[in-house]
């Protein structure tokens, strides 16, 4: 069988065109066309001295294509710019080094946020990103910080004391060996240089002092776990373990376009609903008509906000498999649930299944790290429950009897519960896991995004926006 000619040193009669080496149906072409239509002047610096800067459109293209294909490290992108035909074509054979790529990513927060918004606007002109139904969810994404760098703030304070004591010991020892100066320092040194050991200790002291100062500025308490490498990351529960992480938020449309992407250091989602809706309205000049989210967003304040803004919300107060059931702790399942008591708004009282009246007995301010509310406790007259024939089905507290609690958002919760408990409500809420959860899966699996590369809350916000923008561009290419 004859063989085709093989010659690695083959010369070209005419210079080759990279454009011919990228397939016409390659998604990178759509990436390039969309970014060419977007205004990138916000990235440009007004400098007259020095060499000309790289074109921002080129930098955006290679950065977003990297995130879309799982190449996030600036060093890896630099490597691709010399090896990968698609990267080389997007860059027009330019070869910015990894430091330039890294600085471009971290120094252009506002401009990169505008790119995220501009891509959504492009999608809307194509009939995508409609604001009918939006699904909101959060996911813990590992921070660029090791577990062993996390300690309680009070432990860091103790380590600081130990480091200062060690520094003093080293200085004292140095003073006591003055007679050995010539042997220790040699003839070519003055003798007043700091020993290497004290320099290391002083460096550790400075780092811990900076960490403690930063932690207090962030409102951390002595019991809070803080990382030496990223003070703004939090120690969060994920599955059966705990990891240093940030809480990454997404809101997606029915065509899985991301219209909101943000990051918080709070491990819970309850304070994110209002932020998401306001950010969506600011970005696309339109509020979503329907918002669905899981029970992590089920706060009374959120329910009231959605109603006040005429947004149809579907956020259950209980886990999905318990929707429509009575919310009871396992050890209390044999007792009457709160739903078995009837509330009279006019007289501000509850009536129990036996017909007895529960009236306000106490008001309590409940304040947690991330929220606060006032609750009212309702009880019967003392002794009423003791003689009740239904007592064993109602309460285990023989002295005070049954108690029912209520806050100022109970009406909103009841309306939300009634709405979700309908067949239509269940169907609408059921869309959530088919919309936003797959997007997290695509980002983490297809795009290889399992951990933030940058450190600090503001920088990881930038990185998450880049991730969301790359995802949207991929969605547009397949539309």
């Amino acid at each position: 069988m004859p063989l085709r000619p093989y010659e690695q040193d083959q010369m070209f009669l005419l210079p080759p065109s990279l454009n011919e080496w990228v397939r016409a149906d390659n998604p990178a072409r759509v990436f390039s066309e969309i970014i060419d239509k977007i205004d990138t002047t916000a990235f440009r610096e007004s400098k007259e001295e020095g060499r000309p800067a790289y074109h921002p459109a080129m930098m955006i293209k290679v950065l977003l294509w990297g995130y879309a294909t799982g190449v996030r490290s600036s060093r890896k992108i630099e490597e691709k710019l010399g090896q990968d035909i698609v990267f080389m074509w997007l860059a027009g054979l330019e070869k910015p080094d990894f430091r330039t790529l890294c600085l471009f990513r971290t120094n252009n927060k506002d401009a990169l946020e505008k790119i995220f918004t501009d891509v959504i606007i492009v999608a809307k002109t194509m009939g995508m990103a409609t604001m009918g139904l939006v699904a909101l969810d959060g996911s813990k994404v590992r921070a660029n910080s090791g577990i062993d760098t996390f300690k309680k703030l009070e432990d860091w304070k103790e380590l600081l004391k130990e480091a200062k004591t060690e520094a003093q010991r080293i200085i004292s020892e140095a003073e006591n060996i003055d007679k050995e100066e010539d042997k220790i320092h040699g003839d070519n040194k003055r003798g007043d240089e700091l020993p290497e050991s004290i320099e290391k200790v002083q460096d550790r002291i400075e780092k811990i002092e900076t960490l403690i100062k930063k932690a207090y500025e962030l409102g951390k308490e002595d019991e809070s776990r803080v990382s030496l490498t990223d003070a703004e990351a939090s120690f969060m529960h994920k599955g059966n373990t705990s990891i240093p992480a940030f809480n990454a938020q997404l809101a997606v449309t029915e065509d899985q376009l991301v219209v909101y992407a943000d990051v918080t250091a709070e491990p819970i989602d309850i304070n994110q609903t209002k932020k998401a809706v306001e950010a969506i309205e600011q970005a696309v000049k339109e509020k979503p008509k329907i918002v669905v989210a899981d029970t992590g967003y089920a706060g009374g304040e959120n329910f009231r906000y959605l109603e006040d803004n005429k947004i149809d919300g579907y956020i259950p107060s209980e886990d999905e498999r318990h929707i429509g059931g009575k919310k009871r702790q396992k050890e209390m399942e044999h007792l009457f649930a709160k739903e078995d008591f009837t509330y009279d708004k006019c007289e501000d009282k509850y009536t129990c299944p036996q017909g007895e009246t529960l009236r306000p007995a106490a008001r309590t301010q409940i304040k947690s790290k991330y929220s606060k509310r006032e609750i009212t406790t309702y009880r019967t007259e003392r002794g009423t429950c003791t003689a009740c024939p239904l007592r064993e089905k109602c309460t285990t507290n023989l002295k005070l009897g049954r108690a029912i609690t209520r806050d100022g958002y109970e009406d909103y919760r009841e309306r939300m519960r009634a709405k979700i408990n309908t067949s239509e409500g269940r169907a609408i809420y059921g869309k959530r896991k088919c919309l936003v959860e797959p997007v997290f899966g695509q980002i983490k699996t297809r795009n290889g995004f399992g951990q933030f590369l940058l450190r600090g809350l503001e920088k990881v916000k930038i990185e998450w926006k880049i991730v969301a923008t790359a995802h949207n561009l991929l969605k547009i290419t397949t539309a």
Side-chain angles (χ1 to χ4, degrees):
M1 176 185 290
L3 298 177
R4 293 172 60 90
Y6 171 67
E7 178 59 62
Q8 285 182 285
D9 297 325
Q10 175 68 51
M11 302 290 288
F12 289 93
L13 179 62
L14 296 173
S17 170
L18 272 180
N19 192 51
E20 296 175 355
W21 290 2
V22 178
R23 295 194 327 268
D25 60 349
N26 193 304
R29 290 189 178 276
V30 181
F31 264 62
S32 183
E33 290 173 9
I34 291 174
I35 294 167
D36 283 340
K37 295 176 182 177
I38 291 174
D39 180 16
T40 59
T41 55
F43 290 87
R44 299 178 185 175
E45 298 181 14
S46 55
K47 286 185 177 180
E48 295 183 1
E49 71 280 1
R51 62 172 292 179
Y54 288 109
H55 199 289
M58 180 275 294
M59 298 289 284
I60 295 166
K61 289 177 185 180
V62 297
L63 194 62
L64 289 176
W65 184 248
Y67 273 82
T69 55
V71 183
R72 300 183 292 128
S73 162
S74 52
R75 285 179 170 83
K76 290 292 184 183
I77 293 175
E78 180 185 4
E79 183 180 319
K80 289 286 185 180
L81 290 171
Q83 299 177 354
D84 189 290
I85 291 296
V86 175
F87 274 93
M88 293 166 68
W89 174 73
L90 286 170
L93 291 180
E94 292 279 14
K95 292 182 174 60
D97 63 21
F98 71 91
R99 289 187 181 84
T100 304
L101 291 163
C102 186
L103 288 172
F104 182 85
R105 177 170 51 191
T106 56
N107 292 344
N108 289 287
K109 178 179 183 295
D110 294 338
L112 285 169
E113 285 185 355
K114 184 178 182 300
I115 292 292
F116 171 74
T117 302
D118 289 344
V119 170
I120 295 174
I121 293 171
V122 170
K124 284 181 71 67
T125 62
M126 299 172 62
M128 304 174 70
T130 56
M131 291 295 106
L133 184 147
V134 166
L136 178 63
D137 201 3
S139 180
K140 309 298 190 299
V141 178
R142 192 181 185 98
N144 188 359
S145 180
I147 293 177
D148 57 343
T149 68
F150 270 85
K151 297 182 187 297
K152 290 183 178 179
L153 190 53
E154 59 186 7
D155 292 336
W156 282 120
K157 291 164 74 174
E158 189 61 33
L159 283 173
L160 179 61
K161 291 180 183 178
E162 292 176 6
K164 287 183 175 179
T165 301
E166 184 180 355
Q168 188 59 47
R169 178 187 61 79
I170 294 171
I171 292 172
S172 298
E173 287 180 357
E175 291 174 348
N176 291 332
I177 57 175
D178 283 345
K179 294 179 181 180
E180 303 294 329
E181 276 185 347
D182 291 341
K183 294 180 182 179
I184 295 175
H185 299 291
D187 296 331
N188 60 339
K189 293 189 177 180
R190 299 188 310 273
D192 60 352
E193 296 87 353
L194 284 173
E196 184 179 351
S197 55
I198 187 63
E199 288 182 344
K200 290 181 178 178
V201 174
Q202 287 182 332
D203 181 57
R204 189 160 78 249
I205 289 172
E206 289 176 6
K207 287 182 177 179
I208 296 176
E209 285 179 335
T210 301
L211 171 67
I212 293 173
K213 181 181 177 181
K214 181 71 173 178
Y216 280 130
E217 288 175 355
L218 295 170
K220 303 275 188 179
E221 300 173 352
D222 285 349
E223 289 295 316
S224 302
R225 288 177 176 269
V226 188
S227 169
L228 186 62
T229 52
D230 191 345
E232 293 182 275
S234 297
F235 211 61
M236 299 185 184
H237 295 295
K238 184 177 182 181
N240 297 323
T241 186
S242 296
I243 59 171
F246 289 98
N247 186 356
Q249 299 284 313
L250 288 180
V252 306
T253 61
E254 289 190 88
D255 41 19
Q256 293 189 337
L257 261 290
V258 177
V259 289
Y260 169 73
D262 197 20
V263 178
T264 176
E266 295 181 4
I268 60 175
D269 301 322
I270 198 164
N271 294 321
Q272 306 307 312
T273 308
K274 182 179 178 182
K275 286 173 60 178
V277 172
E278 290 179 345
I280 292 170
E281 185 179 15
Q282 183 178 2
V284 301
K285 311 305 179 189
E286 182 182 355
K287 289 180 184 176
K289 295 179 177 62
I290 300 173
V291 170
V292 295
D294 64 22
T295 185
Y297 298 83
E301 182 67 34
N302 293 333
F303 296 161
R304 183 173 71 178
Y305 172 78
L306 293 174
E307 280 196 24
D308 290 349
N309 286 272
K310 296 179 173 54
I311 297 172
D312 194 11
Y314 291 84
I315 307 175
S317 296
E318 54 277 308
D319 188 79
E320 184 174 1
R321 62 182 180 274
H322 296 133
I323 291 176
K326 294 177 180 178
K327 193 176 181 182
R328 305 292 289 147
Q329 295 178 359
K330 191 169 184 179
E331 62 272 17
M332 299 292 187
E333 285 179 347
H334 66 289
L335 302 179
F336 290 128
K338 183 177 181 178
E339 292 80 6
D340 295 317
F341 291 69
T342 305
Y343 180 68
D344 185 331
K345 187 174 183 179
C346 295
E347 296 190 27
D348 190 22
K349 67 176 184 179
Y350 277 96
T351 303
C352 75
Q354 183 63 15
E356 298 293 344
T357 300
L358 291 80
R359 297 189 182 278
R363 285 184 171 81
T364 310
Q365 292 280 350
I366 296 180
K367 185 177 181 180
S368 69
K369 189 174 181 179
Y370 303 107
S371 63
K372 62 180 180 179
R373 62 192 178 108
E374 181 181 275
I375 65 168
T376 302
T377 303
Y378 296 77
R379 293 186 183 275
T380 59
E381 293 289 337
R382 183 167 293 194
T384 301
C385 292
T386 306
C388 179
L390 299 179
R391 184 189 66 203
E392 292 184 356
K393 294 182 179 181
C394 191
T395 183
T396 57
N397 190 332
L398 300 181
K399 183 178 180 181
L400 298 176
R402 180 61 184 267
I404 297 291
T405 59
R406 184 181 184 89
D407 64 16
Y409 304 109
E410 202 70 36
D411 290 341
Y412 298 97
R413 287 195 187 90
E414 290 172 359
R415 286 194 289 273
M416 181 69 75
R417 190 178 295 116
K419 180 170 56 175
I420 292 181
N421 199 27
T422 63
S423 57
E424 182 184 2
R426 286 171 177 267
I428 292 174
Y429 177 71
K431 293 181 179 181
R432 181 192 66 85
K433 59 186 178 184
C434 303
L435 297 178
V436 66
E437 289 183 6
V439 172
F440 276 110
Q442 292 159 17
I443 287 173
K444 292 183 178 182
T445 305
R446 181 191 63 193
N447 299 6
F449 191 89
Q451 176 179 338
F452 286 108
L453 292 178
L454 304 182
R455 290 173 176 165
L457 184 59
E458 288 304 311
K459 289 184 179 179
V460 299
K461 282 175 180 279
I462 297 172
E463 190 171 5
W464 192 236
K465 276 278 170 55
I466 295 171
V467 170
T469 305
H471 168 84
N472 283 347
L473 286 167
L474 279 178
K475 283 294 177 182
I476 293 173
T477 63
T478 57

